[in-house]
Amino acid sequence: MQISPSEDKIPVVGSPSSPQGTGEGLYFSDGKRKVDYVLVLHQRRNGSVRSHASATVSHDRLSIVSNGNFPPSAGSDAAGGKGARELLGEPARAGEVFMELGDAGDKEPTEPADHEVCLIRQEFEASLLEAGLELERDKELKTHGPSFTRLHAPWPVLCREAEFLKIKVPTKTSYELKEESGFGSSMSTVWRKMNHPFQPKVPHQEQERTKFLTHCFSRDKLHLYNITSKDTFFDNATRARIVYEILRRTVCVRTCQTIVSTICLVGSHTTAEGLSQRVLVLPQGKNGISTLIAKGVYDDAFPLHDGDYKVIGHLEEKSDRQVLHNEWAKYSAFYKYQPIDLVRKYFGEKIGLYFAWLGVYTQLLIPASIVGIIVFCYGVATVDSDVPSLEMCDGRLNFTMCPLCDGACDFWHLSTACGTARASHLFDNPATVFFAIFMSLWAVLFLEQWKRRQISLSFSWDLTGIEDDEEHPRPKYETILLQKRQRKQKTKKKKKKKNEAAIEKLTWKDRLPGYFINVSSVLFMFGLTFSAVFGVIIYRITVSALMAMSPDPDTKSNVRVTVTATAVIINLVVILILDEIYGAVALWLTELEIPKTETQFEERLILKAFLLKFMNAYAPIFYVAFFKGRFAGRPGSYVYVFNHYRIEECAPGGCLIELCIQLSIIMLGKQLIQNNIFEIGIPKLKKLVRSLKDKGTAEKEMEEERPPKQWNLDYALAPFDGLTPEYMEMIIQFGFVSLFVASFPLAPLFALLNNVIEIRLDAKKFVTELRRPVAVRAKDIGIWYNILSGMGKFSVIINAFVISFTSDFIPRLVYQYMFSPTGTMHGFIDHTLSYFNVSNFKPGTAPHNLEQGSITVCRYKDYREPPWSPDAYSFSKQYWCVLAARLAFVILFQNLVMFLSLIVAWGIPDVPKTIVEQFKREKKLLVDVFLREEKEKFQLIQSLFSKSASHQPGRHEEHPGKGSQLPGRFSTLPPGAEKGLPGDGGGPRARCRAASFSQFTRNVPTSPKNGDENSRHTMV
């Protein structure tokens, strides 16, 4: 293939001459060929790239010597290439390209970037034409703004690529799904009737009992497939995926020349004509459209949506996008099931699996929410009969507590913390333990249920047995690999070494600086997170001390509530800010690792982002749950920060109520702010800014083109950036629901309410606000399942420690069964409070204003010996009993939950029984179809040979001509290969292509074209 530099543009198939067809902006100008993909070039205001290229290229000399993929044009170019090789002193090797750029000696050198980009684009589009695609451009070349190149894949190209990609398509063979009988059938009927109001109204997606067999597409077996129309046999998402595969693998030789033209200069010389020449030795590029977009050759590339999402007309006239908008992307449809099959058809399997996973997660939150509400209601119902709470609220017991701070704080009565004690009982009661066990089993049940659902979807979506698509290297990986090769070429030339193996990949030594920066940066981010938590701790300590010195009694009485609430809000703001920072840092760190493929890049990005965001979201909660008050010391021997501020302690009712406040505010705040501001407000703000910026250009274009074409409308939408943010938000929420659920039983309820909105919000975003992504095949949700499984196991440990060490569940059991005189909870509060002699205060730490001067001892919450004991203030026997019981409970809880989890996992099979039966049945039916086909082939061949043997010699020459027309009509053989099959050389040749003979006795799929047209279409 030769590209002339002076060409203004490549000739395209079917120039726009006829008016727009029936599809508004979805077809070429002839109204018949679909627009399967769009390439966008954004012309800058300083002039058109093409015009600039055509004006400047004549002053330069460009010569290419390659391995044959890009041949030199004529004598001067070939001579230039030879000079380049001679200059370097070695012949060109396969996979390398020599480029010479020269300018007139009496003129200022022209920068080759602009016209080189134009030539790259011309070469790329010519390669697309050679691959069989059809192109159409705008009628007028714009001096600025976006220009669109539309791509269409004709039927032969679709057939060829579908066979290469092993796309499964429906055959003509179908079977009836097995119906249940007896009581099961009656229950299924009742359940379907009850579910009918909740089903989305999707045309042609009703619950049918007939299923068509599917098989990997093959051009030799067109007669087996249910082809009613060539235009609709492959849906729009599949067509776009096929075109994207062609774009991705199309090689552009000039790409590498532009990528490294600034770093790969290896020599220069002056020719006899007085031209200064620069010689580049460059490996040939491997990547396609992604590299071109990354290097600015194109601005973007995307498939089109199926028209406008606003409904016009009746139900039968709705496009898939309109159906999704009405039945899925509206908040009024919150009570309906998701049309997952239609989502998969429109957006592809990867996005379909995300919404299916989100739907399963949301559905299973319903029973968790119900149980959580029951546990909370149990706490409300029993709060008035809870003995420890009643004892704390009883002023007659007169528990005088030690000061909460040094100097400024006075002694206080425990009854003033009555409200905290009653609130703690709402979440810290015996039902909490049951709820923690239930939620641990719920996490296992959720994962098992998703596995079953995933396998069911894989079967119904024909994902079983698919192979992973071959992945091409990322543009940055190729660029760095090219740079490494160029450095080696320079070194080899200086040392005059030869016959060294070519560099095929980057090694760990190339990535070592990136790894070092990754580790140090992640450690720094951890330190930043801990610093933020520590800063909030200092805030709590200082504000508590300042409020305690206030003369206002109301201020003193509300110290804990005020400090806790404000500190949690500060924590929330810091978490939201650091979340955005950590997301950008994780992306930067992943780029430094130079992953080879997009899958490797995505997995490493997910791991880093999850690690950073997990620490950021849960560090304050971990502090309150497991560290607050554990190392504060005791009266007379407190632990100080900066030698002045005392480490804060838990409230008299325990730290669980503070953990509940912390968890609820952070969880609800993240959901509300991220959903309403980050996911709704910021995109709308960006869209407003973009529309204001392009207001003048847009108005001019609207005047020129009314109504606007679909590619203009889609280009104005935001690009699709992947599912990582969506998954990450739900994974963090899953942590709130499972990890610390023992402290906040209402967490599943708030997660459920959020997800009901989140599904419709994400649906609306995908249908109306984002460009249509390329349909990507995926068998599962990938690394996210491993993260979920790990968090589920981690939640068992966390909940065990929360119940044991954060709540008062274990101390109450120990007191009731070991130390209570009556075997009841009476006297529990007095049992948990130790004595302190006020004369043992260190100088300067005793209260300044001793209003209760007669006080000789005060109480504090701990298990220590009294001051009159020989081992004063040391840990008492009760402390060690409680500690042993706590550790024993952790071990018992973990083993019990793990055992029950294994039973749940064992009791729920991964593959549903109905799927196993259907899979076996389909396999048997497919075998029967192919056996029947082979039998018909054999019978047909026998009949053909018997007829040819019975004919007279004079008519024997006439029969092959007739017989040869039939295979040519319906087979996929080239015309030359079809001649004389039955009579040319006997059996072996006829048996070799017998696959097309069976079509003689079958009903050929109806087609708008004639038979010869069908033959031509299937020949690729």
Side-chain angles (χ1 to χ4, degrees):
M1 180 183 65
Q2 180 163 343
I3 306 295
S4 173
S6 60
E7 267 184 323
D8 183 56
K9 60 180 181 179
I10 312 168
V12 295
V13 179
S15 59
S17 57
S18 59
Q20 180 72 16
T22 56
E24 207 55 67
L26 298 176
Y27 291 84
F28 277 14
S29 56
D30 57 11
K32 298 179 180 179
R33 291 171 292 172
K34 284 184 179 180
V35 177
D36 296 320
Y37 222 88
V38 174
L39 304 179
V40 186
L41 168 65
H42 197 89
Q43 303 282 11
R44 306 305 171 191
R45 289 187 177 273
N46 57 2
S48 172
V49 175
R50 280 197 188 118
S51 61
H52 178 71
S54 59
T56 60
V57 75
S58 59
H59 299 291
D60 300 332
R61 293 183 57 215
L62 179 67
S63 61
I64 300 294
V65 178
S66 74
N67 61 350
N69 291 335
F70 198 86
S73 57
S76 62
D77 291 284
K82 182 178 179 182
R85 293 193 299 272
E86 291 173 355
L87 175 67
L88 292 170
E90 57 178 323
R93 299 187 305 179
E96 291 185 348
V97 178
F98 294 87
M99 182 181 78
E100 299 181 12
L101 290 172
D103 4 284
D106 56 344
K107 290 187 179 182
E108 190 174 316
T110 304
E111 191 64 32
D114 290 342
H115 68 261
E116 183 66 20
V117 165
C118 178
L119 294 177
I120 291 171
R121 191 159 47 246
Q122 290 179 5
E123 179 197 351
F124 182 74
E125 293 179 1
S127 299
L128 296 181
L129 288 173
E130 187 178 329
L133 297 181
E134 298 177 2
L135 279 67
E136 181 184 72
R137 295 195 187 93
D138 294 334
K139 295 181 181 179
E140 298 179 0
L141 192 64
K142 298 179 181 178
T143 57
H144 63 273
S147 299
F148 301 94
T149 301
R150 277 86 66 187
L151 306 179
H152 168 75
W155 174 254
V157 176
L158 294 174
C159 292
R160 179 191 70 204
E161 298 298 324
E163 185 171 351
F164 291 164
L165 296 174
K166 298 182 179 179
I167 295 176
K168 289 189 175 182
V169 294
T171 64
K172 295 178 180 177
T173 307
S174 62
Y175 67 95
E176 295 291 329
L177 296 178
K178 184 179 178 181
E179 295 187 4
E180 297 181 1
S181 58
F183 180 73
S185 175
S186 303
M187 292 299 297
S188 298
T189 304
V190 172
W191 179 251
R192 281 197 296 269
K193 288 182 179 179
M194 292 174 60
N195 265 341
H196 185 71
F198 305 103
Q199 297 295 334
K201 298 177 181 178
V202 179
H204 312 298
Q205 294 286 330
E206 306 295 336
Q207 293 291 335
E208 299 179 355
R209 306 302 301 174
T210 303
K211 189 177 188 300
F212 285 90
L213 295 181
T214 58
H215 187 259
C216 292
F217 186 86
S218 174
R219 288 170 287 177
D220 292 338
K221 301 186 183 298
L222 290 178
H223 57 282
L224 294 179
Y225 306 128
N226 192 17
I227 305 177
T228 56
S229 171
K230 293 179 181 178
D231 295 332
T232 59
F233 181 66
F234 296 106
D235 57 47
N236 292 342
T238 305
R239 296 174 68 100
R241 177 175 161 234
I242 288 174
V243 175
Y244 175 72
E245 289 296 330
I246 298 175
L247 293 173
R248 192 177 69 166
R249 70 166 184 256
T250 300
V251 173
C252 193
V253 177
R254 295 184 189 269
T255 308
C256 295
Q257 302 162 4
T258 304
I259 290 174
V260 288
S261 61
T262 59
I263 62 171
C264 302
L265 189 62
V266 296
S268 62
H269 68 284
T270 304
T271 63
E273 293 87 350
L275 296 176
S276 174
Q277 299 213 346
R278 294 177 292 164
V279 185
L280 301 178
V281 183
L282 304 173
Q284 181 175 308
K286 295 179 182 178
N287 222 349
I289 189 63
S290 57
T291 299
L292 299 182
I293 293 175
K295 300 304 172 184
V297 178
Y298 289 101
D299 186 59
D300 212 334
F302 53 87
L304 294 180
H305 279 292
D306 291 352
D308 194 2
Y309 61 86
K310 297 178 182 177
V311 177
I312 301 175
H314 300 288
L315 183 66
E316 290 75 17
E317 300 174 2
K318 288 182 182 178
S319 66
D320 288 345
R321 190 185 187 193
Q322 292 170 341
V323 174
L324 287 173
H325 180 260
N326 281 359
E327 298 295 326
W328 182 53
K330 283 188 174 181
Y331 293 108
S332 58
F334 73 93
Y335 62 93
K336 292 185 178 181
Y337 289 100
Q338 299 183 82
I340 291 297
D341 290 332
L342 187 59
V343 173
R344 171 253 181 179
K345 176 186 173 185
Y346 193 82
F347 292 109
E349 286 82 2
K350 191 170 185 177
I351 294 176
L353 282 174
Y354 163 71
F355 282 103
W357 172 83
L358 185 56
V360 172
Y361 173 46
T362 304
Q363 287 178 4
L364 287 179
L365 281 173
I366 296 175
S369 302
I370 294 173
V371 177
I373 293 173
I374 293 174
V375 170
F376 179 76
C377 293
Y378 172 82
V380 173
T382 59
V383 66
D384 292 330
S385 59
D386 182 52
V387 175
S389 299
L390 295 175
E391 288 184 349
M392 284 187 67
C393 296
D394 190 356
R396 295 172 298 175
L397 296 177
N398 195 24
F399 293 114
T400 302
M401 306 298 293
C402 296
L404 296 175
C405 62
D406 294 340
C409 299
D410 296 329
F411 299 102
W412 56 285
H413 291 291
L414 185 60
S415 58
T416 58
C418 176
T420 305
R422 291 174 64 85
S424 296
H425 180 74
L426 299 178
F427 306 100
D428 187 4
N429 54 69
T432 305
V433 180
F434 161 76
F435 188 62
I437 298 175
F438 171 81
M439 288 304 296
S440 299
L441 298 179
W442 173 88
V444 177
L445 180 66
F446 163 58
L447 294 175
E448 292 297 322
Q449 181 65 20
W450 167 243
K451 279 197 291 187
R452 288 171 59 87
R453 175 66 168 156
Q454 185 173 265
I455 291 174
S456 299
L457 291 176
S458 297
F459 178 76
S460 61
W461 292 351
D462 300 314
L463 299 176
T464 53
I466 67 168
E467 300 176 359
D468 294 332
D469 295 334
E470 180 186 359
E471 291 197 78
H472 296 263
R474 299 179 66 248
K476 185 170 183 178
Y477 178 89
E478 280 202 325
T479 302
I480 296 176
L481 185 60
L482 292 174
Q483 296 173 8
K484 182 179 179 181
R485 286 175 176 170
Q486 294 309 313
R487 289 194 298 268
K488 187 173 182 180
Q489 290 285 351
K490 293 180 184 179
T491 306
K492 187 172 71 173
K493 185 175 179 299
K494 290 179 182 179
K495 296 182 179 181
K496 299 182 179 180
K497 292 182 179 180
K498 294 183 179 180
N499 300 326
E500 288 190 5
I503 299 174
E504 297 296 335
K505 63 179 181 179
L506 298 178
T507 62
W508 65 270
K509 294 181 180 179
D510 302 309
R511 295 186 171 97
L512 188 59
Y515 290 153
F516 177 77
I517 296 175
N518 264 266
V519 174
S520 56
S521 298
V522 169
L523 292 177
F524 173 76
M525 296 300 162
F526 283 175
L528 181 62
T529 301
F530 296 146
S531 300
V533 174
F534 185 72
V536 175
I537 293 172
I538 299 299
Y539 164 81
R540 294 164 66 113
I541 294 172
T542 53
V543 172
S544 297
L546 291 175
M547 292 184 67
M549 291 187 290
S550 173
D552 186 7
D554 293 335
T555 303
K556 285 186 176 183
S557 62
N558 296 321
V559 169
R560 287 192 179 275
V561 177
T562 305
V563 171
T564 300
T566 55
V568 172
I569 293 174
I570 294 173
N571 266 326
L572 174 62
V573 174
V574 171
I575 287 172
L576 293 175
I577 294 173
L578 290 181
D579 250 3
E580 300 302 312
I581 296 174
Y582 288 167
V585 169
L587 183 63
W588 173 66
L589 292 177
T590 308
E591 290 284 0
L592 292 179
E593 288 187 30
I594 324 173
K596 184 175 181 179
T597 63
E598 286 295 338
T599 300
Q600 294 177 0
F601 179 86
E602 186 178 9
E603 289 182 352
R604 297 182 186 188
L605 173 62
I606 288 170
L607 283 176
K608 271 187 281 292
F610 171 73
L611 192 61
L612 293 174
K613 293 191 175 187
F614 181 89
M615 290 298 299
N616 181 42
Y618 297 115
I621 301 174
F622 269 97
Y623 164 73
V624 174
F626 303 121
F627 297 99
K628 184 178 180 180
R630 307 291 175 190
F631 312 102
R634 59 171 179 82
S637 181
Y638 284 115
V639 179
Y640 292 87
V641 180
F642 303 129
N643 296 323
H644 185 68
Y645 298 105
R646 268 171 47 182
I647 291 290
E648 59 179 344
E649 303 174 67
C650 289
C655 279
L656 196 69
I657 184 62
E658 294 188 40
L659 178 61
C660 174
I661 295 172
Q662 187 99 10
L663 180 65
S664 59
I665 292 181
I666 291 177
M667 178 183 177
L668 297 178
K670 275 179 66 68
Q671 291 182 168
L672 292 175
I673 294 176
Q674 286 186 338
N675 287 350
N676 294 318
I677 297 180
F678 291 176
E679 293 195 24
I680 298 177
I682 292 180
K684 289 187 179 296
L685 184 62
K686 287 181 179 179
K687 188 176 181 180
L688 178 62
V689 171
R690 189 166 58 246
S691 62
L692 292 176
K693 186 184 297 184
D694 300 335
K695 186 175 181 181
T697 307
E699 289 179 354
K700 187 177 179 181
E701 290 179 356
M702 291 288 285
E703 292 176 0
E704 296 174 354
E705 187 177 21
R706 289 184 178 178
K709 298 297 185 292
Q710 189 63 42
W711 46 83
N712 283 305
L713 297 175
D714 285 7
Y715 183 65
L717 300 176
F720 173 66
D721 293 327
L723 291 169
T724 300
E726 316 299 335
Y727 272 114
M728 189 66 69
E729 180 184 347
M730 291 295 103
I731 294 295
I732 297 296
Q733 184 203 83
F734 179 77
F736 287 128
V737 169
S738 60
L739 291 181
F740 296 94
V741 73
S743 64
F744 188 40
L746 296 179
L749 174 64
F750 289 110
L752 173 65
L753 297 176
N754 172 79
N755 287 5
V756 169
I757 301 174
E758 180 72 20
I759 290 176
R760 307 303 161 181
L761 176 66
D762 286 346
K764 185 177 179 64
K765 181 169 63 175
F766 273 88
V767 173
T768 65
E769 298 175 7
L770 295 179
R771 295 176 193 161
R772 187 175 187 172
V774 179
V776 178
R777 283 197 301 185
K779 294 182 289 187
D780 48 43
I781 60 175
I783 195 174
W784 295 110
Y785 182 84
N786 299 329
I787 293 176
L788 284 169
S789 180
M791 291 184 71
K793 293 179 174 61
F794 190 47
S795 67
V796 177
I797 303 173
I798 294 299
N799 282 307
F801 276 93
V802 167
I803 294 173
S804 294
F805 289 90
T806 309
S807 75
D808 281 338
F809 177 73
I810 299 300
R812 292 183 182 185
L813 283 181
V814 171
Y815 172 77
Q816 184 174 0
Y817 294 104
M818 292 185 65
F819 299 103
S820 174
T822 61
T824 62
M825 293 303 297
H826 291 283
F828 173 73
I829 297 298
D830 183 62
H831 176 76
T832 58
L833 298 177
S834 299
Y835 291 88
F836 178 75
N837 192 336
V838 295
S839 62
N840 293 334
F841 275 121
K842 290 183 178 180
T845 61
H848 298 319
N849 184 16
L850 293 177
E851 296 179 358
Q852 295 124 328
S854 60
I855 295 176
T856 57
V857 292
C858 62
R859 309 292 294 272
Y860 62 98
K861 189 172 182 179
D862 207 346
Y863 292 100
R864 292 182 180 269
E865 297 289 345
W868 54 83
S869 172
D871 299 323
Y873 305 126
S874 61
F875 288 117
S876 63
K877 183 181 74 171
Q878 289 88 342
Y879 170 82
W880 299 110
C881 290
V882 171
L883 179 61
R886 283 173 166 169
L887 296 175
F889 178 83
V890 169
I891 297 173
L892 177 64
F893 183 89
Q894 290 184 34
N895 285 278
L896 175 64
V897 172
M898 291 295 183
F899 175 72
L900 295 177
S901 301
L902 290 175
I903 293 178
V904 171
W906 174 78
I908 302 176
D910 292 344
V911 184
K913 185 178 179 181
T914 54
I915 298 297
V916 174
E917 293 176 353
Q918 289 184 31
F919 184 77
K920 291 180 180 179
R921 188 176 181 186
E922 286 197 4
K923 190 175 181 180
K924 181 179 180 299
L925 289 174
L926 276 176
V927 170
D928 292 342
V929 168
F930 290 119
L931 286 177
R932 192 183 311 118
E933 184 187 15
E934 290 296 324
K935 185 178 180 181
E936 291 176 0
K937 291 177 189 176
F938 182 72
Q939 293 175 352
L940 183 58
I941 293 172
Q942 281 188 332
S943 63
L944 288 174
F945 277 104
S946 62
K947 287 180 181 179
S948 62
S950 62
H951 281 306
Q952 296 178 2
R955 298 176 61 187
H956 182 71
E957 297 175 0
E958 192 176 353
H959 177 74
K962 296 180 181 178
S964 62
Q965 293 175 2
L966 291 171
R969 183 177 181 184
F970 302 115
S971 75
T972 58
L973 284 173
E978 292 173 353
K979 294 180 179 179
L981 277 173
D984 185 22
R989 175 180 291 270
R991 186 73 179 101
C992 180
R993 295 303 295 177
S996 61
F997 292 161
S998 61
Q999 300 168 20
F1000 301 164
T1001 58
R1002 294 180 179 271
N1003 294 327
V1004 182
T1006 57
S1007 172
K1009 312 277 178 141
N1010 56 25
D1012 296 331
E1013 184 75 12
N1014 190 18
S1015 171
R1016 183 171 61 84
H1017 276 189
T1018 56
M1019 264 193 317
V1020 182

